[in-house]
Structures are given as C-alpha cells and as structure tokens.
Amino acid sequence: MERDIRMAAAKAKKLVTRRHLWSNISKAEQTVITQMQDLDVGVNFADKNLGVVVYHRDLYREQCLLHLEDDKGTYDKIVDRSKKDILEHVSSELATILFNLKRQSRNPCWAYVADSILRDTRNAARKGRLCKFYIMWKLHKAANASGLRSRPIAASIDYVTGPASHFLHSQLKEAVWKHPYVLGDSLDLIRTIEGLRFNAYDHIMITAADVNALYPSIRLLRGMDALEWFIDQHTNFNKTLKDLCMDLAFFVLSNNFVTCEELGSSIYHQRIGTAMGTSFSVVYAIIFMIRL
C-alpha cells in the first residue's frame, strides 16, 4: 500500500504544471489575480464567513493601528527588545514552570508531560516566530465610533505558547462542553427547545444577547479567578493538574507578543484581554461567561 501511494503521488507530481494550479477558475480570473499582485491591494475572508474581501492596503494598515495603538492600552509597542530576546524570555519562563512541576511531583508521568510540552515549545522557538497579527473585515456592521470595522486575530501557530495553550484546551474542553449552560451548536438549542413542554396559554419569548468585543475585554485577573472557580467546581483535577493549568494559563495569556506584516518589523505586547488565535482562548472565554 505504501509503495502504491508513493508511486501515485510521484506520478501526480509529474502531471502538475503551471496551467493546472488554477484549474478551477477561468483564464480571465487568472489574469485579474495576476494583475492584482502588482497593485497595493490585498485579499482575505470577511468575518462571519461573509465571503472574500478585496481591500486597499492603506485601509488595512489603518485598521491594524486602530487595534494595536488604541486608547485603552490593549497593546504596548516594544522598542527595547528584539524578537530573539522575547522568544528566549518566554521560553525560559515556561521552562521554569515545567521544572518546578518535575521537582515537586514524584509521579514520573508529570515529568513526561513537562518534557513533552517543553520539547514542542523548543521546536516552535527554533522557527523564530511571534504571533501573526491580522484582521478580518466586518461586513455585517458599520464602523464604531473609533472607526473600527474589523476583528483582530493573533494566530499563535508555531509560537512558543502554542504547546501550552493546546495542553490547556485538551484538559478543559470536555468539562466545558458538558456544562449545562453551553450549547455545542444550533442543533443543541433546537433539541433543548423541543424537549420543553408548554400549555396553550404560555407566552414564550426567546431572547438573544451578545457581548461587545468579548475576547479583548476579559481582564486577566478576573479571567484567572473564573478559571480557578471552574476547575474547583466542574472538574476532578488533582492539585498538581490544577496548579499546572493555572500557571500555564497565566503564562499563555500574559505572553502574547505579535507582529503585523503590513506594519513592518514592529512588535506589540498584549496587555488587556485574551488573544484571538490561540486554542485555549475559546474554552477560556466560555468559562468566563459561565462564571459571569
């Protein structure tokens, strides 16, 4: 089977030519794409899956600056540290957390967990990347009073906090999705409503509410309080796992350093809120709302 797969892949690779790369679009569309590469425009996907957006890069840079240099102080611009210094500092901070775990626990399983996270972190550090900051255009609503009409994303793929973030997500996701306040999807809501029984004279009102900019608005200490409460009340974590989760959560949330391609080599450090783009942030935000 392995030999057949390799032969088929090699054969397919020989068949691929330049004209086959865009086989699903017309020649006219190919021409437009080629011409756009010479213009000061970009293309990405809109928020809420509302399609593709073509934008002028000046507008894009303007939106990025509105997020990164807002009046609330969400981000600090780093002027006295290099990317290498930051990666070394963040990696060292994680190593200290994991060293203490190995030193304090007599169970060899925890040493394996620590070594696994540390190994993946070192592999990420060697790639020399910070979080990639970018925006998604909001086509479904008008700009706010500050002129913002985009959602900020800080993708932590191949960043040093990624392995710790993934560990937290894996440990907490089951308890979060089992909580009675949490809906997995719209089908869960439909099933819940179908299971209710009303008499003919009941007046039922379904109300929906939204949180304005939830992720950037969660203050670190309040979020950590909610996380500790959730672990105590809704998990069976032992003290070692609880302490590790709390230490790793603070580490991930307080070390979100980002760069933005459109703004050159500038580095920013997130001081307020939760990074959008790391796996742990989803369960963390849900836990905060459960507690609220």
Side-chain angles (χ1 to χ4, degrees), residues 34-279:
T34 303
Q35 291 174 346
M36 284 177 59
Q37 291 172 352
D38 297 326
L39 303 175
D40 198 19
V41 298
V43 182
N44 68 359
F45 291 98
D47 193 27
K48 308 296 184 187
N49 295 317
L50 292 181
V52 177
V53 182
V54 179
Y55 55 85
H56 196 282
R57 294 189 187 277
D58 284 347
L59 294 177
Y60 189 92
R61 286 187 279 266
E62 177 186 86
Q63 289 292 305
C64 290
L65 285 172
L66 285 174
H67 286 291
L68 292 170
E69 299 183 4
D70 62 13
D71 296 334
K72 297 185 296 183
T74 304
Y75 290 88
D76 283 344
K77 189 172 183 179
I78 304 299
V79 295
D80 56 349
R81 299 166 69 187
S82 68
K83 181 164 64 173
K84 181 181 178 182
D85 292 337
I86 292 170
L87 289 172
E88 289 178 351
H89 171 77
V90 176
S91 299
S92 175
E93 186 176 329
L94 178 62
T96 300
I97 294 172
L98 297 176
F99 174 76
N100 289 335
L101 171 67
K102 294 170 68 173
R103 181 171 56 84
Q104 294 171 6
S105 176
R106 297 178 180 178
N107 189 331
C109 292
W110 289 115
Y112 176 81
V113 170
D115 290 339
S116 177
I117 296 173
L118 196 57
R119 181 182 63 249
D120 291 343
T121 301
R122 285 170 176 163
N123 290 336
R126 277 193 284 268
K127 296 177 181 179
R129 298 174 185 170
L130 302 180
C131 293
K132 180 182 177 182
F133 184 91
Y134 64 96
I135 62 167
M136 299 179 71
W137 293 95
K138 292 185 176 181
L139 302 183
H140 58 287
K141 60 173 69 173
N144 65 13
S146 302
L148 280 172
R149 45 180 170 173
S150 57
R151 181 185 300 278
I153 307 292
S156 63
I157 297 174
D158 294 331
Y159 178 53
V160 289
T161 64
S165 179
H166 183 67
F167 175 83
L168 290 165
H169 170 77
S170 300
Q171 296 301 317
L172 292 162
K173 64 179 181 180
E174 185 176 357
V176 167
W177 294 119
K178 281 184 177 179
H179 194 279
Y181 290 176
V182 178
L183 294 171
D185 51 33
S186 55
L187 187 58
D188 274 359
L189 176 60
I190 293 171
R191 287 172 174 163
T192 299
I193 294 173
E194 286 178 343
L196 301 177
R197 295 291 180 265
F198 309 106
N199 62 54
Y201 302 102
D202 285 338
H203 295 282
I204 306 301
M205 179 181 293
I206 298 176
T207 304
D210 191 16
V211 178
N212 183 32
L214 171 61
Y215 283 45
S217 301
I218 302 175
R219 298 283 175 168
L220 181 56
L221 293 182
R222 288 195 66 187
M224 292 297 294
D225 286 344
L227 178 61
E228 184 173 24
W229 167 85
F230 184 85
I231 291 174
D232 288 339
Q233 299 296 321
H234 297 286
T235 73
N236 59 357
F237 291 2
N238 60 29
K239 185 178 186 305
T240 302
L241 181 54
K242 175 189 171 180
D243 291 347
L244 177 61
C245 285
M246 294 300 296
D247 288 343
L248 290 181
F250 189 87
F251 163 78
V252 170
L253 295 168
S254 60
N255 282 296
N256 193 42
F257 290 89
V258 306
T259 58
C260 180
E261 276 184 24
E262 299 291 342
L263 300 178
S265 59
S266 298
I267 299 173
Y268 293 84
H269 181 204
Q270 186 172 2
R271 293 291 190 182
I272 301 174
T274 305
M276 296 179 64
T278 188
S279 54

